[in-house]
Amino acid sequence: MSLFDFIPHPKFPEYYEICRHTGVLRFLPAKQREYGDSYFMEEYKSQYKKSYYEDEPNLRAMAKRRLANLSKFAPVPKVEKVDSKKSSPFLNQTLLEIGSAAGFFLDEARIAGYQTKGLELSPKEVEYSRNTLGLDVESSSVLSIEEGEWKESFSVVSAFFVIEHIDDIEGIWKRLQTWLKPGGFLYLAVPSSFGPSFQTNPKEWFRTHPSDHFFDYSVHSLKKLLSILGFEVNYVRPMSYHSYRDLGLRGKLPEWLYRLYANQFAYGDTIELIARKRTH
């Protein structure tokens, strides 16, 4: 049985279909792109005005913050003291990152005590991850690995701004569910349709919508979808606050009150979410 059943969006049928079961949005104009080295570097610099490698300190700080968030819900792996030239032993706390880029998050997770593995499409980033950081990263698409190949293999599966790029929505979500151990944690970061841009300025949302984002999620659609898949949501927050983008009443709130509302209801153009796979 399919997880998704898409019908025309009642308000924006030229842009979206909406899933009857979950509320996930399918972006109809989306097109496939090649995700090689040039895509990765050009897109990052275009958005952040610096190269990915120039931004390493900030990216590592973000990785540490994410791991600190995770530690509030997941047991922190224990690492024994060993010769620094040898690989550290782990107590079976395994972490997979889908779309691991140059490996900064994986490296911080390894330092925290996880046994890590990454999947990345950019050959340059795979080479850097392996040769410079000594990480276990495969140059593979997530969909090229069979669903059952890594069944219940990971304590944590993470994907930061990745799943919206994957056109096989059934394939990616079945893998996310299957690859996690019971009691394991899923950590996602995604653009969100429940934020100031889409909710109050849809014209601008569609004008700037990335052409290679096939699906749009929100806190509401993710909670419905994850519940169907046997998860409970432990943590969800906006990643940034853009009250100036909100053309409605919320945009007129004092900044402290806007942020309070945004945190309470996961109202933002981008969100992070941690969910635990049920054990029964």
Side-chain angles (χ1 to χ4, degrees), residues 52-108:
Y52 187 82
Y53 293 98
E54 289 171 341
D55 207 24
E56 180 177 352
N58 289 328
L59 292 166
R60 285 190 178 272
M62 183 185 296
K64 289 174 182 174
R65 178 185 61 75
R66 285 172 169 161
L67 290 163
N69 282 342
L70 188 61
S71 71
K72 296 172 186 174
F73 310 101
V76 178
K78 296 178 182 177
V79 186
E80 299 175 13
K81 290 184 179 180
V82 293
D83 188 324
S84 61
K85 295 180 181 179
K86 298 178 182 178
S87 60
S88 302
F90 301 90
L91 299 183
N92 205 29
Q93 292 293 316
T94 50
L95 181 148
L96 171 70
E97 184 180 11
I98 299 169
S100 56
F104 300 143
F105 176 76
L106 283 182
D107 197 37
E108 293 296 335

Side-chain angles (χ1 to χ4, degrees), residues 104-213:
F104 300 143
F105 176 76
L106 283 182
D107 197 37
E108 293 296 335
R110 180 175 59 179
I111 292 167
Y114 285 98
Q115 183 178 354
T116 61
K117 187 171 189 65
L119 294 174
E120 173 55 45
L121 290 176
S122 168
K124 182 176 180 180
E125 311 319 316
V126 172
E127 181 183 2
Y128 184 88
S129 300
R130 289 175 176 172
N131 298 341
T132 304
L133 299 181
L135 295 166
D136 177 11
V137 175
E138 290 188 22
S139 181
S140 302
S141 159
V142 62
L143 298 177
S144 68
I145 298 164
E146 291 298 323
E147 187 182 325
E149 188 173 338
W150 288 348
K151 183 176 181 180
E152 297 182 358
S153 294
F154 300 101
S155 310
V156 178
V157 174
S158 57
F160 305 121
F161 299 106
V162 172
I163 63 170
E164 64 273 12
H165 293 267
I166 297 173
D167 63 345
D168 182 0
I169 191 171
E170 295 268 354
I172 182 59
W173 279 101
K174 287 179 178 177
R175 283 164 175 78
L176 293 174
Q177 179 197 42
T178 303
W179 292 353
L180 267 172
K181 298 175 182 179
F185 289 85
L186 178 65
Y187 201 155
L188 299 176
V190 292
S192 173
S193 59
F194 183 62
S197 292
F198 182 60
Q199 293 298 311
T200 71
N201 194 2
K203 184 177 180 181
E204 180 66 9
W205 169 270
F206 289 123
R207 188 188 71 80
T208 59
H209 193 284
S211 62
D212 57 343
H213 287 194

Side-chain angles (χ1 to χ4, degrees), residues 242-261:
H242 298 295
S243 57
Y244 64 90
R245 293 181 185 172
D246 196 302
L247 305 185
L249 293 176
R250 283 169 292 219
K252 296 179 172 60
L253 294 172
E255 185 65 19
W256 69 269
L257 190 54
Y258 178 89
R259 290 187 178 223
L260 186 68
Y261 175 89

